[in-house]
Amino acid sequence: MRVFHGLFGFFSSSSQSADREETLREQTKAVMRHPVFNPQKHPPHVRDALEFVINGGMLTKVRSKRIMKQRFFRVDTVALTLVYTGSTKTRFQSRAGDQSTVYLSKIKEIREGLQSDVFRVVFRNNQNASEISRCFTVLIPGERTLDLIAPDSDSYKLWMSGLLYLIRFLEIADPLTMRYMFVSNLFANADVNSDGVLDLKEILKLLEKMNVAVDHNHAMQICQAAKKFVLKHKKSKTATLQENPNSLTPDEFIAFCNLVERQEEVKPIFKKYDGGTGKLTPKNFGLFLKNEQKMQLLPEDIQEIIETCESCPDLRKKHVLCASGFQSAMRSMWMDIRRVECQYVYQDMNQPLCHYFVNSSHNTYLAQDQLTGRSEVECYVNALRSGIRCIEVDCWDGSNGLPIVYHGFTLTSKISFKDVMLAINKSAFEASEYPVIISVENHCSLSQQKTMAELMRDIFGSKLLTVPLPEGMRILPSPNQLKNKIIIKGKKLSSGTEPDFMGEVSDDDETGDFDDEQVKKGMKRKIKGDRRVIAKELSDCVVICQCCTLKSVRDLEDKSAFKKVKNIPERRALNLIQNHFQKLLFSNTWQMTRIYPAGTRTNSSNFDPLPFWRAGCQLVAMNSQTPDLQMQVNRALFEDNGGVGYVLKPDFMRNENTEYSLEGPYPPEWRKLLIIEVISGFQLPKKPTKMGGILDPFVKIQIFGVPADTQEVRTKTIEDNDLQ
């Protein structure tokens, strides 16, 4: 049995035990006194920055060269938000009057300088060093960037220090702090009139948002219980209960949230190991982890879980978990359904490059569809920081002799090739130290190809792989050998050819995949016009990922072409899998294959990557801007091995002598038994189409793999209760 994340129920009117009351008291006290939001508890440099961002100040909010507005920004420590006033549009998470807010937990990062598409355009012809040095960008996934300019260098340093500290703190926050964030956000959003308390009307609306179906009287019971608890345990015995019987202060709201949490689902598991004491010792907790979770953790790891998840200081000193601490542990990263080692690099990284699946992106520059979508430098930053290791750049002649990147002969917007290279250089190895492969689709003239090569050498420097493999080497280098290297995938001049070679420059021939005749004609004209020269300078940047087109099935048997990468469109690849599966699998033991989407996927939809992985194809290029089921499957695979973008293929896919069929039979040692017990869920999101009502949830578990493994099971439906 594998127990994982769950358990947020609603209030039961049954009496609370002494242990339960003690736990509630400690949780409430711990949340109220959390030190991160008390500037006096920090060193002077952090204290000054926190006090500054809490008090706030004016910043220039930049949207374009023409749209720059003065806005007052501050950090709200109750709601855990970055707040700014004066905005007339609702773009972020919530809004009250002319006030817009960005949840601190939603901020992915803070960037200094000109590291956004907006700033790159605004300052393209403006080299005001003083102003540039005061620019910073707040990045919120799913939204446009928040591009800001501080009025002076001192306030810039304080804003950067304060925000970076808070963001970093929340990234490593323990479950108690995460709970504080959740509770604070609930209160701030429910307090519509901003009077610092929640009246019964606001409470009822909040309960509906929390997916708790209760009537007026039951809501009053919850309020009364929370107020009694706070009055009983606060040092200052106020008369809040008598004065406002149907309202909640922030302190009372924390107790309220602790009271609506129900633990019945995990109590049997907890009691199975507590030895009748109501507490879990490290030994008993270790037994639970071993027997139920199939986890073998070191004593220090078990102790870390207890110290992180137990809110009661006295129990932490005794190194034990109460029922509430156990519940917090069940929600922690330690109880993720994945094995703990999957969060780190645990696989052999000394195999040839072709022995790994590589997280790959198609037309990486596109933020939307393939015909009219935006091209953004930011897409490369996001891709690399998400662990993608193979990215694509479509290069075309630009004005003033400078190449550009866009989807040729479409209405997609254009971005600077130089800006793309600068962004790649900065972000390439932030998420992973293993090599980045840049798949260059080159449509440029000779002169601009030389410019491309010069820019890549100047920007990447020693990171760029340009040294040929040692004489006699007949296998690809390993990811470990290529750490922190940038590999260019492109056309390579044959030895002995002229410096400028007449040949086919474009790698991807998507013409046959288009249904629309007008688009098809345009693509044919494009490919016909792409027979241009290849600059030696650009060719010299290509070492081990030399592009080639699969002309016949016989090419799959040419082991001398181990440095070449086969570029195959999805439909032809599916045909190869159907008719020549074993030959394709064999070739992928010593050579790399890149699969790219059909040209008909103009809406940036994704194909199913599984058929290509099953044939051992390494570079299965996905439209990563589209969060469909296929992209979820891709992300699931590459969460393994620490999320570094390289996952070692199974042994039989690395052995050219292995014979295997998708339909089986399979060796007995390949068979595994997976048992999952679904206990409950918590904080389930509402579907947009049913915002006004309670959902009828169920859990569906799907397994993707070879036909024999592909399964889907689901639990029974729980009617009118999407909370527990």
Side-chain angles (χ1 to χ4, degrees):
M1 179 178 67
R2 177 80 172 162
V3 184
F4 54 95
H5 302 310
L7 327 176
F8 195 92
F10 57 82
F11 174 72
S12 171
S13 59
S14 61
S15 62
Q16 305 292 327
S17 68
D19 283 346
R20 172 69 168 158
E21 191 169 290
E22 177 189 358
T23 299
L24 288 170
R25 180 171 66 254
E26 292 298 338
Q27 283 185 328
T28 302
K29 287 164 61 180
V31 168
M32 290 190 293
R33 65 169 180 262
H34 207 286
V36 67
F37 305 109
N38 184 349
Q40 300 305 318
K41 292 186 178 291
H42 298 286
H45 68 285
V46 176
R47 180 173 66 240
D48 293 344
L50 288 178
E51 287 180 344
F52 180 84
V53 298
I54 290 170
N55 292 328
M58 297 299 295
L59 293 170
T60 302
K61 181 170 171 286
V62 181
R63 291 292 302 278
S64 67
K65 288 183 178 180
R66 295 182 179 180
I67 305 177
M68 300 186 185
K69 302 291 185 180
Q70 293 289 313
R71 297 285 183 256
F72 183 82
F73 283 77
R74 65 182 178 86
V75 169
D76 184 333
T77 59
V78 174
L80 298 176
T81 55
L82 175 64
V83 180
Y84 63 97
T85 55
S87 176
T88 58
K89 295 183 179 179
T90 303
R91 287 180 39 240
F92 296 107
Q93 300 295 324
S94 65
R95 171 180 162 84
D98 66 344
Q99 176 174 293
S100 296
T101 64
V102 180
Y103 291 127
L104 295 178
S105 60
K106 298 292 185 182
I107 296 176
K108 186 175 183 180
E109 62 179 303
I110 310 291
R111 298 179 184 170
E112 57 183 338
L114 308 183
Q115 294 193 61
S116 73
D117 289 325
V118 171
F119 275 147
R120 291 185 188 100
V121 172
V122 169
F123 286 93
R124 180 159 293 164
N125 299 314
N126 178 1
Q127 298 302 316
N128 186 329
S130 173
E131 193 171 25
I132 291 174
S133 67
R134 293 182 274 112
C135 295
F136 65 98
T137 297
V138 178
L139 183 64
I140 308 104
E143 298 281 356
R144 298 181 65 176
T145 56
L146 194 56
D147 301 288
L148 306 169
I149 304 176
D152 54 69
S153 59
D154 289 340
S155 61
Y156 167 80
K157 292 176 183 177
L158 290 168
W159 275 112
M160 288 295 295
S161 298
L163 291 176
L164 286 171
Y165 174 82
L166 289 172
I167 300 309
R168 176 58 182 156
F169 179 88
L170 295 177
E171 284 178 352
I172 61 174
D174 55 46
L176 190 61
T177 301
M178 297 301 293
R179 177 170 174 74
Y180 179 90
M181 290 171 55
F182 173 69
V183 172
S184 298
N185 289 338
L186 283 178
F187 186 93
N189 288 329
D191 187 14
V192 178
N193 58 6
S194 301
D195 61 354
V197 297
L198 300 185
D199 58 31
L200 189 58
K201 182 179 179 181
E202 292 170 329
I203 292 168
L204 287 169
K205 286 186 177 181
L206 172 62
L207 290 172
E208 182 180 352
K209 289 182 179 180
M210 292 173 67
N211 306 329
V212 181
V214 299
D215 57 22
H216 181 276
N217 292 333
H218 194 180
M220 290 178 63
Q221 291 177 16
I222 300 173
C223 291
Q224 293 294 308
K227 296 174 82 67
K228 287 178 180 178
F229 177 81
V230 172
L231 283 173
K232 180 178 179 180
H233 297 290
K234 285 183 69 174
K235 292 181 180 179
S236 174
K237 306 288 186 177
T238 63
T240 311
L241 180 61
Q242 289 74 29
E243 294 176 359
N244 301 294
N246 297 320
S247 65
L248 295 175
T249 65
D251 292 355
E252 293 163 347
F253 183 67
I254 293 169
F256 164 85
C257 287
N258 288 332
L259 287 169
V260 299
E261 192 173 44
R262 194 170 67 181
Q263 298 177 307
E264 275 71 18
E265 296 89 350
V266 289
K267 279 184 178 178
I269 304 168
F270 181 79
K271 288 184 176 296
K272 182 178 177 181
Y273 291 93
D274 73 351
T277 65
K279 308 290 186 295
L280 283 183
T281 64
K283 179 181 179 180
N284 290 343
F285 186 47
L287 286 174
F288 159 77
L289 294 172
K290 178 182 178 181
N291 297 339
E292 309 293 349
Q293 308 295 73
K294 312 304 178 188
M295 296 167 63
Q296 293 278 8
L297 295 185
L298 296 173
E300 52 265 34
D301 292 330
I302 294 174
Q303 188 58 47
E304 181 181 346
I305 299 176
I306 293 174
E307 291 179 356
T308 301
C309 300
E310 179 52 61
S311 62
C312 177
D314 291 338
L315 296 181
R316 280 202 303 271
K317 290 178 182 178
K318 296 176 182 178
H319 309 301
V320 295
L321 275 177
C322 68
S324 178
F326 179 71
Q327 179 172 324
S328 295
M330 291 300 95
R331 298 179 180 178
S332 71
M333 59 170 283
W334 293 93
M335 302 305 151
D336 195 296
I337 195 170
R338 296 171 298 171
R339 301 194 312 267
V340 173
E341 58 264 32
C342 293
Q343 302 172 32
Y344 309 97
V345 177
Y346 68 95
Q347 296 177 344
D348 179 7
M349 303 302 285
N350 294 307
Q351 299 279 331
L353 209 59
C354 55
H355 286 184
Y356 299 84
F357 297 120
V358 183
N359 199 354
S360 305
S361 168
H362 170 252
N363 287 356
T364 311
Y365 50 88
L366 288 177
Q368 297 169 321
D369 66 81
Q370 304 287 312
L371 297 180
T372 62
R374 297 192 316 274
S375 301
E376 295 182 359
V377 175
E378 190 66 29
C379 291
Y380 288 95
V381 177
N382 293 337
L384 291 167
R385 290 179 175 174
S386 69
I388 290 174
R389 296 288 88 188
C390 181
I391 53 181
E392 184 176 12
V393 182
D394 285 5
C395 308
W396 298 80
D397 281 353
S399 59
N400 302 322
L402 298 175
I404 56 174
V405 175
Y406 86 113
H407 202 193
F409 296 103
T410 68
L411 298 178
T412 57
S413 58
K414 302 175 177 66
I415 54 179
S416 160
F417 176 83
K418 180 180 179 180
D419 286 347
V420 170
M421 296 301 106
L422 288 169
I424 292 172
N425 184 58
K426 185 171 181 63
S427 305
F429 303 108
E430 292 185 9
S432 170
E433 61 184 344
Y434 293 102
V436 169
I437 301 171
I438 303 178
S439 181
V440 175
E441 186 172 337
N442 172 24
H443 306 273
C444 289
S445 61
L446 176 63
S447 62
Q448 296 208 19
Q449 287 181 53
K450 293 179 179 179
T451 301
M452 288 167 55
E454 182 181 356
L455 285 170
M456 288 191 292
R457 286 181 179 273
D458 289 346
I459 292 171
F460 298 148
S462 61
K463 298 176 187 175
L464 186 65
L465 181 67
T466 56
V467 179
L469 297 182
E471 190 69 29
M473 188 173 180
R474 290 293 178 266
I475 60 172
L476 291 170
S478 71
N480 269 342
Q481 291 174 307
L482 295 168
K483 276 184 179 179
N484 298 305
K485 287 294 182 182
I486 294 176
I487 302 168
I488 304 301
K489 170 183 163 294
K491 292 288 184 179
K492 179 73 173 177
L493 291 174
S494 302
S495 58
T497 58
E498 295 298 320
D500 297 326
F501 169 70
M502 184 68 70
E504 187 175 315
V505 175
S506 176
D507 300 330
D508 293 352
D509 182 356
E510 300 175 346
T511 316
D513 289 320
F514 277 98
D515 293 331
D516 187 287
E517 286 302 317
Q518 291 302 112
V519 175
K520 199 169 184 177
K521 289 178 182 178
M523 291 296 290
K524 283 182 177 179
R525 288 195 300 270
K526 161 190 163 182
I527 291 173
K528 183 179 179 181
D530 269 346
R531 294 185 175 276
R532 301 177 181 172
V533 291
I534 299 177
K536 183 178 184 301
E537 292 85 348
L538 186 59
S539 172
D540 288 345
C541 294
V542 179
V543 179
I544 60 171
C545 288
Q546 305 170 10
C547 291
C548 70
T549 302
L550 187 67
K551 296 178 180 178
S552 72
V553 178
R554 288 193 299 273
D555 292 343
L556 297 175
E557 302 171 1
D558 183 9
K559 296 187 70 172
S560 66
F562 72 98
K563 290 186 287 187
K564 294 185 177 181
V565 177
K566 304 181 292 291
N567 278 305
I568 310 176
E570 66 171 282
R571 292 183 182 179
R572 188 178 183 195
L574 289 172
N575 182 269
L576 280 172
I577 290 169
Q578 182 176 356
N579 299 301
H580 305 283
F581 175 80
Q582 199 63 44
K583 288 185 177 180
L584 180 59
L585 179 68
F586 166 78
S587 74
N588 284 328
T589 63
W590 49 265
Q591 185 187 42
M592 298 185 77
T593 300
R594 177 176 178 267
I595 310 296
Y596 59 88
T600 48
R601 297 186 182 277
T602 55
N603 63 347
S604 295
S605 62
N606 281 300
F607 50 54
D608 180 2
L610 283 163
F612 311 114
W613 289 336
R614 291 193 293 245
C617 299
Q618 300 87 349
L619 306 170
V620 180
M622 306 291 287
N623 289 314
S624 56
Q625 72 270 40
T626 305
D628 51 19
L629 175 62
Q630 292 74 23
M631 192 61 204
Q632 292 175 39
V633 171
N634 185 81
R635 286 174 180 160
L637 173 68
F638 290 106
E639 282 182 353
D640 196 5
N641 202 33
V644 297
Y646 286 82
V647 173
L648 187 64
K649 295 195 291 186
D651 179 68
F652 67 88
M653 287 188 177
R654 294 179 271 132
N655 186 347
E656 60 188 62
N657 297 317
T658 298
E659 295 274 346
Y660 104 97
S661 169
L662 291 176
E663 288 73 30
Y666 308 111
E669 61 269 20
W670 288 10
R671 298 185 178 275
K672 304 291 181 184
L673 179 64
L674 175 66
I675 301 175
I676 298 177
E677 179 177 345
V678 179
I679 298 176
S680 70
F682 72 106
Q683 297 174 15
L684 304 179
K686 287 176 175 287
K687 293 181 67 174
T689 55
K690 202 174 181 181
M691 289 299 290
I694 305 300
L695 301 182
D696 302 327
F698 60 88
V699 176
K700 181 167 66 175
I701 299 173
Q702 293 175 281
I703 297 177
F704 299 88
V706 296
D709 282 340
T710 302
Q711 294 187 46
E712 177 180 313
V713 294
R714 53 171 287 177
T715 65
K716 66 178 182 180
T717 300
I718 306 298
E719 296 183 357
D720 292 328
N721 188 351
D722 51 1
L723 181 65
Q724 56 179 334

